[in-house]
Amino acid sequence: MTATRVLVLNSGSSSVKYQLLDMRGGERLALGLVERIGEETSRLKHTCVKTGAVRESIAPVADHEAALKAVAEELTKDGLGLDSPELAAIGHRVVHGGMTFTAPTVIDDTVLAEIERLIPVAPLHNPANLVGIRTAMALRPDLPQVAVFDTAFHTTMPESAARYAIDVATADAYRIRRYGFHGTSHAYVSRATAKLLGKAPEDVNVIVLHLGNGASASAVERGRCVETSMGLTPLEGLVMGTRSGDLDPAVIFHLMRVGEMSTDEIDTLLNKKSGLIGLCGDNDMREIRRRIDEGDEQAELAFDIYIHRLKKYIGAYYAVLGRVDAVAFTAGVGENDNAVREAAVAGLELLGLEVDGALNAVRSDEPRLISPTTSRVAVAVVPTDEELEIATQTYALVGNYNA
Ligand SMILES: Nc1ncnc2c1ncn2[C@@H]1O[C@H](COP(=O)(O)OP(=O)(O)O)[C@@H](O)[C@H]1O
Ligand SMILES: CC(=O)OP(=O)(O)O
Ligand SMILES: [Mg+2]
């Protein structure tokens, strides 16, 4: 039997997203999500695309290993179990690949050890990614397991963008540089944006704004990333759901010396208690918008800070690229929130950026322009599909393993 299916696992700190695809036509067979792992009210939602069956349950899922086993059971119920001979490989999102991994990689013990070594620079993500890999390996030890790294797309950044202005010997000793993340999404969305414009990726310059719970911007010049907003870790850059983004590093010394806070306390403060949740108590943009509509000033200020930072990055990346063909909004907030898109671009008419109110209000899952024809720079909403991109890269690497 020809093995043409790829299972993709995207393990986050408290969730697992998954998709099963048939790579003959890139068709999605099943997808789902387990969220709030480790809590009493963990939620599993599974959709079998083939039959249209949707199953949802709320029950405690203790850890990532239990979550993956629950996913395997759901797939088995639909006749799509992990024991299928049609499964060619399992593709894993791995957030930090450091300087070692610039391309998708078949996972062996050496690769596992390197992903583990990088935990200190991706503490929220790499541990979850590792559990996902190890559990999948135990379920199907015979299958190739492929790691697709968030950092890989950004390895084309020039040294002028990738290096921090700190002592070179210290930076090199500790491999301190800007790696960037969400690369699978930036790669997919920049290519999809070129397609929307009817052009080849090599012929366009795009600013991609990936605005999810984690958020990052990138400047993509002729298909290659030349700058991105996240750095050594996914903490730098834009204001995020729970992360501060850019900050004067002296804030940390101040908190240590004057606030007498420990390194771990500051780490938790900046990664989990800052950003939108730190500013107004909510990290979900839907809730923040609802509060603003009710006249909540704290929510409004959080929104303004979020937009101010975003606008600064659009301007900065315009300068980095020199010529911009398109600005593309993606991920949970970017794809769904028209007020964020409108506010981020407001006042940038002299840079050639305009948004059409009616087009911006359209809700759709398709890539679409939201700028009027008069706009010199196209403004677009381009839904990301990290899972499809991971499956494509995985399948390209392992080919038809079982054929
Ligand atoms: N309809 C919507 N309007 C505004 N924001 C939304 C909407 N749907 C989702 N979001 C935002 O998207 C975020 C999740 O985005 P997503 O890309 O799925 O993030 P992640 O992959 O980091 O979990 C939510 O926290 C919420 O702020
Ligand atoms: C790297 C990163 O921030 O990922 P996520 O948005 O999934 O948290
Ligand atoms: Mg995401």
Side-chain angles (χ1 to χ4, degrees):
M1 180 173 288
T2 321
T4 55
R5 291 180 183 170
V6 173
L7 175 67
V8 175
L9 298 177
N10 178 349
S11 306
S13 53
S14 65
S15 69
V16 176
K17 293 181 190 167
Y18 62 95
Q19 278 190 22
L20 178 69
L21 296 105
D22 192 323
M23 300 317 290
R24 262 173 302 203
E27 177 201 359
R28 204 173 269 127
L29 302 173
L31 61 130
L33 142 102
V34 188
E35 56 186 354
R36 299 196 291 271
I37 294 171
E39 294 180 31
E40 285 301 306
T41 58
S42 313
R43 173 172 165 264
L44 186 150
K45 185 174 178 189
H46 173 86
T47 304
C48 176
V49 179
K50 245 170 56 179
T51 62
V54 180
R55 289 188 293 275
E56 211 173 331
S57 57
I58 310 263
V61 177
D63 51 27
H64 281 75
E65 190 178 338
L68 253 116
K69 288 185 173 153
V71 169
E73 276 171 30
E74 289 301 325
L75 288 166
T76 302
K77 285 182 200 163
D78 294 322
L80 299 168
L82 258 70
D83 55 352
S84 166
E86 290 182 71
L87 199 58
I90 302 181
H92 299 266
R93 176 187 182 206
V94 179
V95 163
H96 214 313
M99 283 197 278
T100 318
F101 302 111
T102 57
T105 305
V106 175
I107 303 168
D108 58 18
D109 286 345
T110 319
V111 175
L112 278 173
E114 185 62 11
I115 297 170
E116 192 152 9
R117 196 187 62 77
L118 290 162
I119 286 176
V121 280
L124 302 184
H125 297 93
N126 273 29
N129 303 157
L130 275 169
V131 178
I133 294 168
R134 290 199 168 109
T135 310
M137 278 179 148
L139 290 169
R140 278 301 298 267
D142 57 315
L143 273 190
Q145 311 268 340
V146 174
V148 176
F149 297 93
D150 261 41
T151 41
F153 182 61
H154 303 300
T155 51
T156 52
M157 272 198 290
E159 287 294 284
S160 54
R163 282 207 175 255
Y164 291 108
I166 63 171
D167 172 66
V168 172
T170 308
D172 288 350
Y174 296 101
R175 301 188 223 205
I176 294 170
R177 59 190 282 119
R178 308 189 53 255
Y179 293 94
F181 301 90
H182 295 137
T184 311
S185 176
H186 288 286
Y188 177 86
V189 170
S190 55
R191 265 192 279 113
T193 306
K195 193 171 166 205
L196 180 68
L197 300 182
K199 300 211 169 135
E202 302 74 42
D203 293 332
V204 291
N205 291 348
V206 186
I207 297 173
V208 179
L209 304 170
H210 175 109
L211 311 176
N213 214 349
S216 65
S218 71
V220 183
E221 184 174 48
R222 299 181 176 276
R224 288 162 63 88
C225 177
V226 293
E227 174 63 287
T228 194
S229 59
M230 285 177 165
L232 173 72
T233 79
L235 183 54
E236 190 180 344
L238 300 175
V239 175
M240 309 182 211
T242 66
R243 291 172 237 163
S244 63
D246 294 337
L247 195 75
D248 180 345
V251 169
I252 296 164
F253 317 140
H254 188 74
L255 289 172
M256 290 173 95
R257 292 183 186 128
V258 181
E260 294 182 3
M261 286 174 73
S262 70
T263 313
D264 285 347
E265 282 169 343
I266 299 170
D267 196 332
T268 303
L269 174 81
L270 299 182
N271 272 301
K272 296 188 175 165
K273 296 182 181 172
S274 297
L276 293 170
I277 207 162
L279 288 166
C280 73
D282 273 307
N283 64 328
D284 193 310
M285 196 54 91
R286 285 164 288 200
E287 188 57 20
I288 293 172
R289 293 284 310 289
R290 197 192 56 73
R291 284 173 55 188
I292 293 172
D293 286 345
E294 288 177 354
D296 185 323
E297 286 179 11
Q298 200 188 16
E300 194 169 341
L301 179 59
F303 184 86
D304 289 348
I305 295 168
Y306 183 94
I307 296 296
H308 178 78
R309 184 84 52 85
L310 193 53
K311 193 173 290 196
K312 276 209 304 198
Y313 270 90
I314 296 173
Y317 288 6
Y318 206 119
V320 166
L321 290 169
R323 191 204 79 219
V324 178
D325 297 290
V327 173
F329 287 89
T330 196
V333 176
E335 290 167 30
N336 293 301
D337 197 315
N338 55 346
V340 165
R341 297 191 296 254
E342 187 186 330
V345 171
L348 302 183
E349 295 81 7
L350 286 179
L351 293 181
L353 284 150
E354 290 171 60
V355 162
D356 177 288
L359 291 175
N360 191 29
V362 172
R363 297 193 67 83
S364 153
D365 292 335
E366 296 299 316
R368 58 198 185 275
L369 291 176
I370 56 167
S371 46
T373 46
T374 49
S375 185
R376 258 192 299 124
V377 177
V379 183
V381 179
V382 181
T384 192
D385 198 337
E386 289 166 285
E387 283 77 17
L388 175 62
E389 180 69 19
I390 291 169
T392 306
Q393 293 193 21
T394 298
Y395 196 62
L397 184 65
V398 303
N400 196 352
Y401 184 73
N402 289 342

